[in-house]
Amino acid sequence: MVDTAHRNDGAEGVAGGVGATALLVAAARAIETHRPDSLAQDVFAEHFVLGAPASKGWPVRLREVPDGDRNPLWGRFARYFGLRTRVLDDFLLRSVHAGNARQVVLLGAGLDSRAYRLAWPSGCVVFEIDRAEVLAFKHQVLDGLSAAPRATRVPVPTDLRADWAGALPSAGFDPAAPSVWLVEGLLFYLPPAAETYLIDTVDRLSTEGSALAFEVKLDKDLLEYRESPLYTATRQQIGIDLLDLFDLSPRPDSAGKLTGKGWSTSVRTPFDFTRLHGRGPLPERNDALAGNRWVFADRPRR
């Protein structure tokens, strides 16, 4: 399939609300890329930040942050995103190399550039599902860099509130073949019913040998952390109030549901991987990351 999205620049898609959080993550990935002890490399990330009016003046290197790693946003929070990037990169590559899955689906792909920067096995297809204007902006930036994907990249310009499950097979996805799914930084913003629908749909479209990773927050009361340094710094420095964007309803037990459907699941904290890699955030008082969990699931072969 031809690697195209819409022809407009799409910058409005990352200008505010949840769209702007894609730029936040891109800035964090850029900062991580330029660290001497980097956990993940994303050479495209800074170009998204520099190419969007909404992120004008944001740092893309730690030396551009006056208080460096002491800054709760561009230090600790950015390091969290760098760690998350590394862990999920490893999950995707391990999943496709361990079996014969050659379909990778990024739900809420945002400014993810994994199709361009990871060492995919031959024959991999990466489906990127997100709103048309977000994909258009990403396409414009990467096209301006003459970037070439390292797998077949198939944009699926569909709002996740619409029939993305129908759009995916129409774009060439084969439900009868093993697939690897990634839901990174998305479920926080969805109401519980939408999360349940998404997990049920991934289950329905996944055959044996498939794998899934997603991120959830298990806090009973997110507002308990409103004055945490992480949320306060994000509001004050870049004008993004994450708690206004998150859905504050009680979350479903998506990991438990998958286990009940025969998936093998593992629920980990980000701090587990900080200890594994020797870099990243550790627990602190009034910690907005305390409830974050990374869930990894495999549908075993019989």
Side-chain angles (χ1 to χ4, degrees):
M1 181 173 179
V2 178
D3 182 6
T4 60
H6 286 237
R7 295 296 181 183
N8 59 73
D9 66 16
E12 68 276 9
V14 291
V18 175
T21 65
L23 291 170
L24 166 59
V25 176
R29 285 177 171 161
I31 290 172
E32 184 68 30
T33 297
H34 293 294
R35 286 179 178 271
D37 61 346
S38 171
L39 285 169
Q41 289 286 307
D42 185 348
V43 299
F44 305 106
E46 66 183 274
H47 297 281
F48 297 130
V49 178
L50 298 174
S55 49
K56 183 178 180 180
W58 291 12
V60 293
R61 289 168 171 77
L62 195 60
R63 67 170 182 261
E64 298 169 2
V65 182
D67 47 353
D69 263 328
R70 294 187 302 276
N71 187 292
L73 170 57
W74 301 121
R76 186 171 189 260
F77 204 18
R79 193 93 225 215
Y80 169 82
F81 289 123
L83 176 67
R84 186 179 77 178
T85 298
R86 168 62 181 274
V87 170
L88 296 179
D89 283 357
D90 289 348
F91 159 78
L92 290 170
L93 291 178
R94 182 173 62 249
S95 297
V96 295
H97 282 287
N100 61 354
R102 292 297 180 266
Q103 301 180 121
V104 177
V105 185
L106 309 178
L107 285 165
L111 301 179
D112 189 308
S113 62
R114 289 182 170 97
Y116 293 81
R117 62 181 182 79
L118 295 186
W120 300 104
S122 176
C124 267
V125 181
V126 178
F127 297 90
E128 297 184 1
I129 302 180
D130 212 319
R131 292 176 295 131
E133 57 268 31
V134 175
L135 295 177
F137 171 70
K138 176 159 64 174
H139 178 80
Q140 180 204 26
V141 171
L142 293 172
D143 190 53
L145 298 170
S146 299
R150 303 176 72 177
T152 300
R153 174 179 174 256
V154 181
V156 185
T158 304
D159 193 310
L160 284 165
R161 294 169 294 185
D163 182 22
W164 62 267
L168 192 52
S170 298
F173 176 84
D174 181 5
S179 49
V180 181
W181 303 79
L182 179 59
V183 190
E184 181 181 18
L186 171 65
L187 297 182
F188 308 155
Y189 308 103
L190 300 183
E195 177 179 333
T196 297
Y197 170 77
L198 184 148
I199 295 297
D200 285 347
T201 303
V202 170
D203 172 69
R204 177 170 58 83
L205 295 177
S206 297
T207 190
E208 296 172 3
S210 296
L212 163 66
F214 60 95
E215 182 180 26
V216 293
K217 290 185 81 69
L218 300 183
D219 309 87
K220 291 183 179 179
D221 181 10
L222 286 172
L223 294 178
E224 177 183 353
Y225 301 105
R226 174 164 285 286
E227 299 309 318
S228 71
L230 187 151
Y231 288 148
T232 299
T234 304
R235 286 196 306 269
Q236 292 176 348
Q237 294 182 43
I238 60 175
I240 296 177
D241 190 332
L242 290 170
L243 287 173
D244 277 354
L245 299 176
F246 292 162
D247 188 290
L248 304 180
S249 307
R251 307 311 303 177
D253 180 9
S254 294
K257 170 169 266 194
L258 287 169
T259 300
K261 290 177 175 287
W263 293 68
S264 174
T265 60
S266 171
V267 182
R268 307 287 298 277
T269 75
F271 310 127
D272 294 335
F273 293 96
T274 293
R275 298 181 181 101
L276 174 67
H277 291 288
R279 301 189 288 286
L282 286 169
E284 63 180 29
R285 295 183 62 187
N286 193 20
D287 194 350
L289 300 178
N292 288 40
R293 296 293 185 273
W294 297 341
V295 182
F296 303 91
D298 295 280
R299 168 159 271 175
R301 299 180 186 279
R302 297 177 184 175

